[in-house]
């Protein structure tokens, strides 16, 4: 006989309060798999997980946990097979962290048994794994949201069940803790045969990084169930989440980020110029607001997502060509940036650091035909740095040789731009 | 996640400094020991107070003599009350027929109410829950009222013996019936902690009004003995009552104490409890049943004594934290101690042999105490 699958569900439909929450969900967790359930709020993620655990009775369909129908298992037998980490919990007593994690052993000890060595080891192991050893005597109600979430995770681990079912286990955690929890789950499922993890998540990037497959839930139905590479597409994300995104793949890792702010509100043109700013890393933080305030139509780029200038551009509704975080500029983004530069009356090179990633901005600028003003703005002498072994500085010199104006400070630049825009308008 | 990281450095430092972070209280074993000794001392001391103060050496003699450890035939000290000498045999009568059953019954009632209160607070996840939460007090009051009223209605003068049996019996039945209504309600698919509490509140109101109706059928004089009975007391304690209640406390209370881990799990919410393998509805019914049996029996013998069931678990929480595995037995001991002391106060505060209803004493002591607990808790560590 072959080993039973960790989890199997067929034709699951669930009604809650007279409303159909899940319809015809089929899924199979294979040995060692980490399955991420993604979908918008209210799509039925939590209900699905609860149904898989036997905590919610489905209207139709059946669930098998390690080869046994879940509704035939006793509550404690079920809890020894699958551990459940709910999204949130409001304990009514201020139990200590150690007592709280110890409760995970209930299905093993029973109501009236005594803790033995294996119970103590499971509890200690979970406390150590979640770095909670020094918290053992703290009251759970005295912890922060993130600390309490780690306690919940530790409890799920101490339950020592082969199947882990987790509902947004990282929602309150900082980035380092998120990686730790997901990394732990990743090791957990590989360590021994018969293990599997199913986890509801909101972060598509993390889900794609750690999960073998993604289960896309939309309005209670499976929209897709496939590997991240095959299923994370802008179309799918729009279908499930109703939002436009940009999806890229780098070294096999799927990256999802929002598109350039689509609806920049029409800004009254006070005889301004179209000004494109080459910035990044905060070098545009003075310039961008000043230009916008002066009534110029401002664009920027190419910027990396999560860069402070990108965030600022977004805030100011400045259109920008945007690249994935911490990545070199790709061809589509460069083309977008060239388009923005071509349609500008003036281009300003902010006092930015030039590295391999953004050198392309200057190269593209050099290739433009010379019908527009180009300004090279100096910051404090220490600011502009070239990390490209001279190629950046040479590009700037070449710009100046071709007629770019070197400007000492933002006020001077603003004066030049305002004068020329006044001259232009009749 | 076990790898060393920069973050773990400050927490290791914290490990070495026991002064940081709130203390989780004394160990449960030590708590039980300390409270147990206090209870023993309190019990013995309360034998020495009261209308007839038997000297301690005589008490020791009488107790040892009764259990056959002492063969001497007379009390060591002469006891003189109002100029008359009280013979040793009378002292023995006072001790064994009056003092001891009273003290033991107050002790057992305290333990029963405190256990029930702790279980109710845990079960309903509500710090203000008490043994009478489910309308039990009103049920017992109605039962007792029926005896008092019906007797006068039918023109029967109850013999003292009859009343001693009928009042507890109907009080128990009334209380138990009220508990049963809540138990039946808990079978409903809508049953959860909130609906059950509200069921109890509604039931208490209905039964309370029924009692008023029953009383108002008869002259007001009937209400007086009923009022005194309701306020609670142990003057009519008998060894039979002590025996019955002792059996109930040992069996039902013992089973309840074994459910400490279950109550711990229930503190995390019904969702998690179910996830950990507890069948919440059936466990809830079991705990309600045990609690109702304890409370109904206690009420039948003592009347409605407030605050002990509410306050005792809170005292224990302050001493040793909220772990129900030790909270339940410690609450029983604290509840027993509180009622023994309350009974001492009730019998001695007025002087001249006049006895205050114990319910009045617990109310006067317990009301301010619960306020103190509430506001001290608010000001410490913010655990609301």
């Amino acid at each position: 006989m072959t080993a039973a699958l960790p989890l199997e569900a067929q034709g699951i439909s669930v009604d809650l309060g007279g409303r159909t929450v899940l319809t015809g969900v089929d899924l199979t967790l294979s040995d060692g798999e980490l399955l991420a359930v993604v979908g918008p709020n209210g799509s039925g993620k939590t209900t699905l997980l609860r149904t898989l655990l036997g905590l919610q009775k489905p209207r139709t369909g059946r669930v098998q946990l390690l080869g046994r129908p879940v509704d035939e298992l006793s509550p404690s037998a079920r809890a020894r097979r699958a551990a459940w980490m709910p999204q949130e919990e409001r304990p009514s007593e201020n139990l200590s962290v150690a007592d709280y994690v110890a409760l995970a052993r209930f299905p093993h000890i029973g109501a009236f048994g005594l803790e033995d060595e294996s119970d103590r080891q499971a509890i200690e192991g979970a406390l150590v794994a979640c770095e909670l050893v020094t918290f053992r005597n703290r009251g759970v109600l005295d912890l922060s949201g993130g600390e309490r979430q780690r306690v919940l995770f530790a409890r799920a681990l101490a339950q020592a069940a082969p199947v882990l079912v987790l509902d947004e286990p990282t929602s309150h955690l900082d980035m380092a803790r998120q990686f730790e929890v997901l990394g732990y789950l990743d090791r957990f499922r590989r360590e021994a045969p018969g293990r599997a993890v199913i986890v509801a998540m909101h972060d598509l990037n993390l889900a794609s990084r750690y999960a073998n497959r993604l289960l896309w839930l939309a309005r209670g139905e499976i929209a897709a169930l496939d590997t991240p590479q095959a299923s994370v597409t802008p179309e799918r994300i729009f279908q499930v989440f109703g939002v436009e995104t940009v999806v890229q793949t780098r070294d096999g890792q799927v990256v999802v980020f929002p598109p350039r702010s689509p609806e920049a509100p029409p800004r009254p043109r006070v005889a301004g110029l179209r000004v494109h700013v080459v910035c990044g890393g905060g070098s545009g933080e003075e310039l961008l607001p000043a230009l916008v305030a002066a009534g110029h139509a401002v664009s920027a780029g190419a910027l990396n997502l999560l860069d402070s200038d990108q965030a600022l551009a977004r805030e100011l509704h400045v259109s920008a060509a945007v690249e994935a975080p911490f990545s070199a500029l790709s061809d589509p983004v460069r083309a977008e940036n060239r388009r923005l530069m071509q349609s500008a009356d003036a281009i300003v090179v902010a006092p930015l650091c030039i590295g391999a990633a953004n050198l392309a901005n200057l190269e593209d600028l050099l290739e433009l035909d010379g019908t527009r003003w180009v300004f090279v703005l100096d910051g404090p002498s220490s600011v502009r740095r070239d990390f490209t072994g001279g190629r950046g500085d040479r590009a700037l010199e070449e710009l100046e040789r071709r007629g770019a104006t070197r400007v000492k400070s933002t006020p001077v630049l603003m004066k030049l731009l305002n004068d020329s825009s006044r001259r232009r308008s009749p | 996640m076990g790898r060393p990281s920069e973050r773990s450095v400050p927490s290791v430092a914290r490990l070495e400094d026991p002064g940081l972070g709130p203390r989780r209280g004394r160990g449960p074993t030590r708590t039980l020991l300390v409270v147990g000794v206090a209870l023993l001392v309190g019990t013995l001391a309360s034998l020495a107070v009261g209308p007839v103060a038997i000297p301690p050496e005589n008490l020791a003699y009488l107790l040892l003599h009764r259990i056959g450890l002492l063969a001497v035939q007379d009390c060591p000290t002469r006891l003189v009350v109002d100029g008359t000498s009280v013979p040793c045999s009378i002292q023995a009568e006072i001790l064994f027929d009056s003092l001891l059953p009273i003290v033991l019954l107050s002790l057992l009632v305290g333990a029963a109410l405190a256990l029930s209160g702790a279980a109710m607070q845990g079960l309903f996840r509500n710090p203000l829950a008490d043994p009478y939460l489910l309308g039990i007090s009103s049920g017992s009051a109605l039962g007792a009222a029926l005896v008092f009223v019906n007797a006068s209605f039918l023109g029967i003068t109850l013999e003292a013996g009859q009343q001693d049996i009928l009042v507890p019996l109907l009080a128990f039945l009334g209380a138990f019936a009220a508990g049963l209504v809540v138990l039946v309600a808990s079978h409903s698919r809508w049953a959860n902690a909130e609906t059950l509490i509200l069921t109890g509140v509604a039931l208490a109101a209905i039964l309370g009004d029924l009692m008023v109706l029953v009383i108002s059928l008869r002259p007001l004089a009937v209400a007086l003995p009923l009022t005194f009975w309701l306020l609670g007391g142990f003057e009519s304690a008998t060894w039979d009552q002590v025996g019955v209640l002792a059996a109930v406390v040992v069996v039902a209370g013992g089973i309840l104490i074994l459910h400490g881990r279950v109550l711990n799990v229930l503190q995390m919410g019904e969702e998690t409890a179910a996830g950990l393998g507890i069948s919440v509805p059936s466990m809830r019914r079991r705990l309600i049943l045990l609690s109702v049996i304890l409370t109904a029996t206690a009420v039948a013998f003592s009347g409605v004594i407030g605050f002990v069931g509410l306050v005792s678990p809170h005292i224990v929480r302050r001493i040793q934290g909220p772990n129900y595995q030790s909270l339940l037995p410690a609450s029983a001991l604290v509840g027993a101690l509180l009622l023994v002391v309350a009974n001492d106060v009730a019998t001695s505060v007025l002087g001249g042999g006049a006895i205050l209803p114990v319910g009045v004493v617990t109310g006067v002591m317990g009301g301010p105490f619960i306020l103190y607990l509430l506001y001290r808790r608010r000001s410490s560590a913010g655990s609301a």
Side-chain angles (χ1 to χ4, degrees):
Chain A
M1 197 186 108
T2 53
L5 287 166
L7 193 80
E8 253 185 301
Q10 278 157 5
I12 300 291
S13 298
V14 177
D15 290 353
L16 279 182
R19 201 170 60 88
T20 300
V21 181
L22 288 175
T23 318
V25 173
D26 297 308
L27 78 99
T28 304
L29 268 187
S30 47
D31 209 342
E33 180 164 17
L34 197 164
L35 178 74
V37 181
V38 296
N41 298 325
S43 58
K45 296 190 296 293
T46 302
T47 306
L48 172 62
L49 297 184
R50 296 186 69 239
T51 310
L52 295 178
L53 285 157
L55 298 178
Q56 170 69 48
K57 219 173 143 52
R59 177 165 50 80
T60 63
R62 62 196 196 98
V63 180
Q64 298 219 42
L65 205 51
L66 295 157
R68 285 278 303 278
V70 75
D71 49 358
E72 286 176 17
L73 291 166
S74 75
S76 55
R78 194 193 61 219
R80 285 192 297 270
R81 289 164 182 241
W84 167 229
M85 173 177 170
Q87 201 172 342
E88 223 176 345
E89 211 164 86
R90 302 190 167 280
S92 47
E93 295 274 10
N94 200 6
L95 287 168
S96 72
V97 169
D99 283 347
Y100 209 73
V101 172
L103 296 175
R105 302 305 295 171
F106 187 86
H108 301 272
I109 310 172
F112 312 120
L114 291 174
E115 272 180 19
D116 67 16
E117 195 47 42
S118 69
D119 297 315
R120 278 187 285 273
Q121 272 172 12
I123 295 163
E124 277 315 300
L127 289 175
V128 169
C130 298
E131 290 181 35
L132 287 168
V133 175
T134 54
F135 284 63
R136 66 163 66 246
N137 292 326
R138 297 268 299 274
V140 282
L141 294 178
D142 305 329
L143 302 178
S144 74
E147 288 165 344
R148 211 179 300 174
Q149 199 158 32
R150 276 159 60 205
V151 174
L152 288 182
F153 186 61
R155 197 185 62 205
L157 298 184
Q159 205 168 327
V163 179
L164 283 181
V165 183
L166 310 103
D167 195 1
E168 292 179 31
T170 56
S171 55
H172 295 299
L173 301 183
D174 62 44
M175 196 156 64
R177 296 286 185 193
Q178 289 184 2
F179 292 179
E180 280 176 0
V181 164
L182 292 166
Y184 188 93
L185 293 177
D186 194 39
R187 285 197 306 282
F188 169 85
R189 67 183 167 108
R190 296 169 202 273
E191 267 169 6
R195 288 184 176 179
V197 178
I198 179 165
V199 50
M201 292 181 73
H202 270 307
D203 188 324
L204 280 175
N205 289 321
L206 284 177
S208 306
R209 169 71 185 77
Y210 288 97
N212 306 66
R213 289 189 300 161
L214 302 185
L215 189 158
W216 299 73
L217 264 188
R219 289 168 294 280
E221 290 179 56
I222 294 189
L225 177 53
D226 210 334
T227 60
Q229 288 73 19
S231 67
V232 183
T233 61
E235 296 76 28
R236 174 97 56 228
I237 296 171
F238 190 79
Q239 175 203 353
V240 172
F241 290 92
V243 64
E244 305 249 10
T245 50
V246 178
V247 175
Q248 293 181 353
T249 308
R250 310 207 165 266
D251 308 328
Q253 161 72 44
V254 179
V255 186
V256 182
F257 50 90
R260 191 159 54 78
S261 179
E263 69 294 28
R267 190 173 287 280
R269 298 282 297 272
V270 195
L273 299 172
R274 282 168 295 177
V275 182
H276 184 82
V277 182
V278 178
C279 56
S283 60
E285 68 176 354
E286 188 183 23
L287 194 52
L288 291 175
L291 289 168
V292 169
H296 300 294
V298 188
S299 62
L303 296 166
N304 285 98
L305 188 70
L306 308 182
D307 182 287
S308 60
D309 281 346
Q310 187 266 329
L312 181 63
R314 204 177 154 72
E315 197 179 308
L316 296 170
H317 293 287
V318 165
S319 37
V322 178
E323 182 52 79
F326 312 111
S327 311
L329 300 181
S330 62
D331 287 338
V333 176
R334 282 177 71 166
E336 162 86 359
N337 197 41
R338 276 198 296 274
R339 196 181 57 71
L340 289 173
M341 289 198 287
Q342 264 156 10
S343 58
D345 303 312
I347 298 171
V348 183
V349 179
L352 76 170
C353 294
I354 301 165
N358 63 0
L359 181 64
N361 282 331
L362 297 182
E363 288 168 351
D364 288 342
L365 179 53
L366 280 168
E367 279 172 21
L368 287 182
D369 50 54
T371 58
R372 49 188 69 73
W373 291 295
V374 176
F375 299 94
V376 177
L377 179 61
D378 282 339
S381 61
S382 60
V383 170
R384 193 189 317 259
R385 295 242 176 79
D386 181 11
F387 296 105
T388 56
R391 287 163 71 198
D393 283 342
R394 277 197 298 281
L396 288 174
E397 281 159 23
E398 178 64 18
L399 275 176
E400 276 185 90
R401 208 181 51 75
R402 294 192 192 176
T405 315
R406 205 164 192 120
V407 190
K408 292 291 170 211
S409 69
T410 304
V412 176
L413 173 71
M414 294 307 298
K415 190 168 182 312
L416 285 172
L417 285 174
N418 292 344
D419 287 352
S420 57
S421 79
R422 253 197 300 280
R423 239 177 288 130
R424 256 175 28 133
S425 48
Chain B
M1 279 197 288
R3 73 188 151 69
S5 70
E6 285 181 58
R7 256 191 326 280
S8 66
V9 173
S11 43
V12 168
R14 195 179 305 145
L15 183 68
E16 288 159 0
D17 181 3
L20 278 176
R23 287 238 309 271
R24 300 294 308 157
R26 284 167 250 280
T29 327
R30 233 184 82 189
T31 308
L32 283 175
L33 208 66
V34 169
V35 181
V37 169
L39 175 60
L40 197 66
V41 172
T43 307
L44 291 175
S46 66
L47 292 176
V49 296
V52 182
I54 303 175
E57 58 272 25
N58 288 9
L59 283 175
Y61 159 76
L62 289 168
L63 287 171
L64 291 174
H65 181 72
R66 176 58 67 103
I67 56 177
L69 283 178
L70 221 58
V72 193
Q73 282 306 317
D74 201 11
C75 293
T77 317
R78 248 167 57 87
L79 172 62
V80 180
V81 177
D82 295 336
T84 3
S85 171
V86 182
C88 194
S89 59
I90 302 288
Q91 290 184 44
E93 228 169 84
I94 291 171
L95 177 63
F96 293 113
D97 294 348
S98 167
L99 274 182
L100 209 50
I102 286 175
V103 169
L104 289 181
L105 191 69
S106 65
L107 185 152
L108 288 166
V109 167
L113 292 178
L115 273 174
S116 174
M120 288 290 179
Q121 287 172 8
L123 184 59
F124 291 106
R125 295 162 42 95
N126 189 328
L128 291 176
D130 80 351
Y132 308 123
L133 183 70
L134 304 177
I136 290 175
S137 53
S138 311
S140 68
L142 179 61
L146 283 173
V147 178
F148 288 112
V149 169
N150 221 6
S152 71
F153 188 65
L154 299 173
I156 302 169
T157 314
L158 284 171
E159 303 291 323
Q162 286 174 311
Q163 183 153 332
D164 286 352
I165 293 185
L166 275 182
V167 170
L169 187 66
L170 267 112
F172 176 85
L173 290 178
F176 199 74
L180 278 186
V181 170
V182 178
L183 267 180
V184 170
S186 77
H187 278 87
S188 151
R189 54 186 293 229
W190 307 116
N192 59 34
E194 282 75 30
T195 53
L196 288 184
I197 289 179
L198 290 176
T199 306
V201 169
L203 197 59
I206 295 168
L207 294 173
D209 286 341
L210 274 180
M211 188 194 76
V212 171
L213 180 72
V214 166
I215 295 173
S216 62
L217 292 174
R218 299 304 305 156
L220 219 56
V222 180
L224 199 61
L226 178 63
T227 307
F228 269 97
W229 181 85
L230 280 179
L231 284 171
F234 304 104
E235 308 90 80
S236 56
T238 66
W239 280 105
D240 288 343
Q241 295 178 350
V242 170
V244 171
L245 189 54
V248 167
V249 167
V250 167
V251 175
I255 297 175
L256 199 58
I257 285 174
L258 291 177
H259 283 76
R261 189 178 289 132
V262 171
L263 279 163
N264 277 343
V265 175
L266 286 175
Q267 296 322 299
M268 299 180 297
E270 300 186 357
E271 173 88 4
T272 303
L276 283 174
I278 286 182
S279 162
V280 177
S282 73
M283 199 51 85
R284 190 194 284 138
R285 282 195 287 276
R286 188 192 298 182
L287 292 171
I288 289 179
L289 182 65
L290 290 168
S291 179
V292 165
I293 290 174
L294 282 167
T295 311
T297 317
V299 165
F301 295 144
S302 68
V304 181
I305 295 174
F307 285 105
V308 175
L310 176 67
V311 171
S312 304
H314 285 293
I315 295 176
V316 176
R317 276 191 195 88
R318 291 213 66 88
I319 302 173
Q320 60 116 52
N323 189 329
Y324 277 85
Q325 285 176 284
S326 42
L327 179 85
L328 288 167
S331 296
L333 294 177
V334 167
L337 178 62
L338 283 185
L339 260 200
V340 166
V341 171
N343 187 54
D344 290 346
V345 173
T347 47
S348 57
V349 74
L350 290 183
I355 294 173
L356 212 57
V358 178
V360 172
V361 177
T362 59
V364 169
M365 294 196 314
F369 189 74
I370 201 78
L371 288 174
Y372 163 76
L373 280 179
L374 272 173
Y375 285 92
R376 243 192 83 166
R377 198 175 65 145
R378 284 288 142 72
S379 60
S380 76
S383 54

